[in-house]
Structures are given as structure tokens and as C-alpha cells.
Amino acid sequence: MKKHNFSAGPSILSEYTIKNTAEAVINFANTGLSLLEVSHRGKEFVAVMDEAQALVKELLDVPEGYHVLYLGGGASLQFCMAPFNLLRTKAGYLDTGTWAANAIKEAKIFGEVEVLASSKEANYTYYPKGYTVPEDLDYFHITTNNTIYGTELRTDPDVKVPLVADMSSDIFSRPVDVSKYDLIYAGAQKNLGPAGATLVIVKESALGHVDRVIPTMLDYRTHVKKGSMFNTPPVLPVFSALQTLRYYKEMGGVKEMEKRDVAKAKLLYDAIDASKMFVGTVTDPDSRSIMNVTFVMTPEYKELEKDFVDFCAARGIVGIKGHRSVGGFRASLYNALPIESVQALVDAMNDFEKAH
Amino acid sequence: MKKHNFSAGPSILSEYTIKNTAEAVINFANTGLSLLEVSHRGKEFVAVMDEAQALVKELLDVPEGYHVLYLGGGASLQFCMAPFNLLRTKAGYLDTGTWAANAIKEAKIFGEVEVLASSKEANYTYYPKGYTVPEDLDYFHITTNNTIYGTELRTDPDVKVPLVADMSSDIFSRPVDVSKYDLIYAGAQKNLGPAGATLVIVKESALGHVDRVIPTMLDYRTHVKKGSMFNTPPVLPVFSALQTLRYYKEMGGVKEMEKRDVAKAKLLYDAIDASKMFVGTVTDPDSRSIMNVTFVMTPEYKELEKDFVDFCAARGIVGIKGHRSVGGFRASLYNALPIESVQALVDAMNDFEKAH
């Protein structure tokens, strides 16, 4: 049975990515060697790295003066790398969820942190609006999509200070005005590739302004200077990411991805809103994420939540159990998920509701 | 044509590792999903991580009180993580090559560094002996194998201070007395798996003695507490590492690996020593690495070096070009390399020498 994979991350990847990766593990670029055992300095992998950087620039229309890097360590390592490299005195953060809070915690090691807005008191059920960004900040940090809570900011804020964004769970789901950002980072394992690589887009002129000594591996300039090949990069995750980027280009780019993602999300949100059994957890409709749709059962049906997960599993629908801090369900609709899978989930919801 | 892969790293892996990884990229543990797209919190991957930790403990006979971690970022990130976590006042380092020198550079950010011995003046052509390790050091750091220069320390030093070792390029090539070490780290991409994971073996009692604030991701305690699952680990590299560990166990463990590695190295060193055309670069026979054999052509044949690389390539022998700082040739004989490949190289050397 074909699975409908709604996992929050690591998560569904395109068939193209999976097939090409499996083939390369056997024979990479006709070298007669596995992708797992080739030198990262060989011309075949250098070509992979070059194209994986170039395609990010092309798909996101990255302006001159920016560098694209693939680093190890996950987005969680960026929580400290960003302030290590950019925080002189004070930074502003939005507290929009667990990952944002983790980023705030790390930044406090390096300087003063002003939390400009937070939805924590409401268990992060909306994306804050109407806050003011002081002009004396070294940077303003946002988490554009909050995987756990199903909230998202789908616009690029206009601020007068450098903007830093964790786009781990919604990058490539819409065109982004990169020129508004000094730094964008994203763990690969949602819309890009398998776990093990973190995409970084950094503005060269943003670097070199802090006084502290930065350990070599944590200094973005190290990786910029060496084209992301200072040390052995995560070879396979970068290769797989390249396959996804090629697939996006072939499909029509991020505008087309956005169109599909919006349609998928609408299908599911409409079903939730029409249901008497299921209810969305995000309180502000504007805050609803098109990547992660979080919903629960209404109090009278609450005890059926586990049954519904099993009901879905029997239909090949997996990965819909909600994060423990929200409960209920979370359906992640990342780029690679076909609308047919969303329809399968909606059908399951309708059938389950009718049966009870 | 079957390739003989002498690459220095990323480097040859067992057929077992490659085949099982390729299969898991298509269908992981009968989930019907790719290894690239499953949750790291799912029971199937949790089992992988657990076994990958347990097998390291079993194969290296790791005593109680130690933890096995798989981190991202490469051994280069450990160059700063080690002193971040362990350096209070002063550490001692051996300067045995480029990577050791890189480790020293990072440690200097965190405290005083005493270089107890160095072979730099001799272009690292031997592994230093006869140095004294002061008893007031927070730790003593060694690089057990120097990939670029073909030198290696195949014993566990007896010292009265905590011992830290970068074993990136020779771990699992011999039994190690782990009890002598507070910290061992190793980039996976030689004797363990594909690039993207770094193996860390750390003694719990070594942690928590520095005053500085350590960023969460750089604090070994973070990863110890969460069983190496604080954030999304490099899923595929860990899976592949597990396959290699299973293969080692099946083959008879690290003692058997050592026997094979010693035999392979002897075959090649004997050929070099018997040749009038080729000469080893390591000046002290005791320092010769059994993992990376570095050699050049004698001055009268020097101009034929490029021809020999081409001569080998025509026979499917790849990855033998030496690092630019040594020149000539480097044949890496990691665990997964069969002795037949070494014989093929020796045959090529003999045939080439006869032809000239």
C-alpha cells in the first residue's frame, strides 16, 4: 500500500529525489563508486555542490552579495551561530513557538535580547502582529513557520534593522524577497532534503562586525571563503537537496509550489471548518500555516482521537499525530506531498465523522 | 570495471553498507517509506540509533560511564567543542599534522595551549616520541592518525591527565583502551560511514567542570541527556554507520580488522621498500600509518608521477594522488578496502617500474 506521509520532518520528499539518491548510492555520476564513498573534492561532487548553490540562487532569486552554504549540525546550531556572528549589543526576537524560544535562549548567551512579541501565553496559537521593531537592534529574528503550532508568517516583514529568519519548515513554499534579509537558515529535512544539511543564505556585508573571536567552524566567513567546502560537507544530504531543487525548477519554481501548497491547505482547512468533529487549533485565521495544519477533536469526541489515528493508519495515512504540546493531529503538507494525499485524509475525516 | 577505491575520505565502505543503504533509501525497515523521509522519532529509527550506539560500545569495549553520540558538523566542529567543554586553564596538544594544527588553533580561543611536541619542521614525516606530559593540564590532545602525512600512533598513551583523541581516520582499526580517554571523536567518513556524522565517545565525569556558558548545541551534556536525539540527527549517515558496525561485528570485530589492516599495509610497504622507483615519505618506520600509505617517486623518476596516476586509473585504481602538501601518492587502506585492491596497486607499481 502506498503511504500518505504527513510527517512533520524529516518528511516526504519527491519520488525524483528518492529515486536519484538510491541510484547514486549504488553508482554516483557514472564513477562506478557509491555516493557514500567518493571524495568531496572530486569533480563530480564539486559539480553537485556548485549546482546546489546556484539553484537556490535561481529559485529564490537571491541578489548579488549573498552566499549560499550547506552546513552540518541542523538549524539548532544556527540558533547560536547567528548571534555568534551578528549580535554586538542587542537583538530582537519574536517568540512564536518552541524553536523560536530555543533561538532566544542561545542569543542571550551573546548579548541582550528583546522579545518584541510573544504568543506563548496563548500556547502559540497565533502569529503576533502589531509589534514595533526598535531601530537600535543589531538584527530582528523571526521563525517564519512554527511546525508544532501550525502558525506561519507568509510575508517578508518591512523593518529598518537587519532581518534574520529561521525558514526551516516553509522555505521554497513561496517566493521570498531575500534582499530584505541578512541571514536565512533552514534545516533541510522539510522542503529540501534528508536530515544532515542546513541551508544558509547570508549577506556578505552582514559579516565581520562583531568583536568576539568566533571559532572557525562557527564563523560564516570560513564557509563563505571556501564555498561551503571548508571541511567535508554532508555529501549525501547535499546531493539529495540538489535533486529536490531540480525537481522544483522542473515543476515551475517556487511560485508553482506556492500555488499547489495553498490549494492543498485550503482543501484541508475547508474540511476542518465544515466538520462538527474536528476543529483547528490556530485562533487567528491569518496565522494558519499552509505547511502544518494542526487540529483536534471537539470535546465531545476527544476520546476518539487515538481511534482516528488508527483509522488513518489502516488507510496508509501516517504521521498525523499532533505534537504533545498541542495534542490532536498535525498534517504536514510540505511541497512533496501530493494533493491526492490531502484528499485521502479529508476522505478519512469525512468517513470517520459519518461513522460516529 | 570494478574500481579499487583508495580515497582518503570520504572513502570506500563495505558492500554491505552500500547495498543496505540503497535499499533503505527505497524502503526503510518495511515502513513503505524512504529512509530519507521518516521521522527520527519513529520507533524504526530510534532502534537504529540505539543499536548504532550499542555496537560502538560492544566493538570498542567501552566501559560504564561513557556515552556514545552521533553529532553533525564534522570532526572540525569537535576542534572547538572539545575545549569549549573541557578547557579550564591549559591543555597540551601534539602537533602532528594539518588537522592537529587546526585543533590547536581552536583550543587557543578557550585557554592556554602547550604544544608538547611537533614534527612540523620535518613536514610531519614522523610521529613525535619522548615528550613529557605535564600533570597540570586539563587534558592532553592527540590526533592518532594523520591522513595527509601517513603517520599514526597505534597505542593508547599512558598519561596522568585526561586524554582526548581525534581518531577520525583510524578508529575501528584496532582495539582501543577507551578507559584511558575522556573524549574520543571521529568524523564518520573513513572507517564508519558516509560524511555527515561524527562519532563521539565521552566520559560523563569529564563534563561540567568549566565555568563558561556553553551554547546548547555545543555542550556534550545536551546530547548525552537526550541520547544523541536532542535535535534531528543526521539520519542516513547514522543508518549507514550502523550497517558498517554490523559488518565489523560479523567479520569478527576490531581485532580481525586490525589483522587485515596490518596485512594490507605490510603488502604495500614491502613493495615500496623493495622498489627502486618508489620511496615512502615517513622517516621513522614506527610512525608508518596502516591506514594511509604515503610515498613518492625517487628524484630520477619524479617526472613520471602523473603518468603513474594515469597508469593506475586505466586499471581502475582511483584516489591515489597524494595531498598537495606531501605530493606523490597516498593509498588509503581503510577497513573496507579488500587486500585484492592493495595487490592490484602493488602489481601496478611493479609493472610500471618494469616498463620504465
Side-chain angles (χ1 to χ4, degrees), chain A residues 290-326:
Chain A
I290 67 168
M291 294 281 103
N292 313 95
V293 177
T294 50
F295 55 109
V296 293
M297 280 187 177
T298 53
E300 57 185 308
Y301 296 107
K302 199 83 191 166
E303 60 191 22
L304 294 176
E305 284 188 344
K306 178 155 182 341
D307 289 352
F308 182 63
V309 170
D310 296 340
F311 184 82
C312 284
R315 295 176 173 213
I317 296 168
V318 299
I320 63 156
K321 196 168 176 290
H323 190 275
R324 65 184 178 283
S325 43
V326 175

Side-chain angles (χ1 to χ4, degrees), chain A residues 223-291:
Chain A
H223 304 287
V224 164
K225 243 180 271 169
K226 297 287 187 177
S228 209
M229 296 273 265
F230 169 73
N231 67 330
T232 314
V235 169
L236 182 135
V238 173
F239 174 87
S240 298
L242 170 60
Q243 308 313 307
T244 303
L245 295 167
R246 283 180 179 170
Y247 168 78
Y248 289 164
K249 185 175 172 181
E250 183 66 28
M251 290 297 103
V254 289
K255 266 195 187 162
E256 175 63 23
M257 288 301 130
E258 182 176 40
K259 219 170 81 186
R260 292 171 183 220
D261 291 335
V262 167
K264 288 186 290 180
K266 185 172 183 322
L267 178 58
L268 183 50
Y269 281 121
D270 284 353
I272 291 169
D273 292 343
S275 160
K276 288 197 166 63
M277 178 179 261
F278 299 98
V279 60
T281 61
V282 176
T283 52
D284 169 17
D286 289 352
S287 300
R288 279 179 159 182
S289 168
I290 67 168
M291 294 281 103

Side-chain angles (χ1 to χ4, degrees), chain B residues 124-141:
Chain B
Y124 298 119
T125 48
Y126 65 92
Y127 205 102
K129 294 175 189 168
Y131 51 84
T132 307
V133 179
E135 293 185 23
D136 65 341
L137 299 177
D138 294 328
Y139 64 84
F140 171 47
H141 181 284

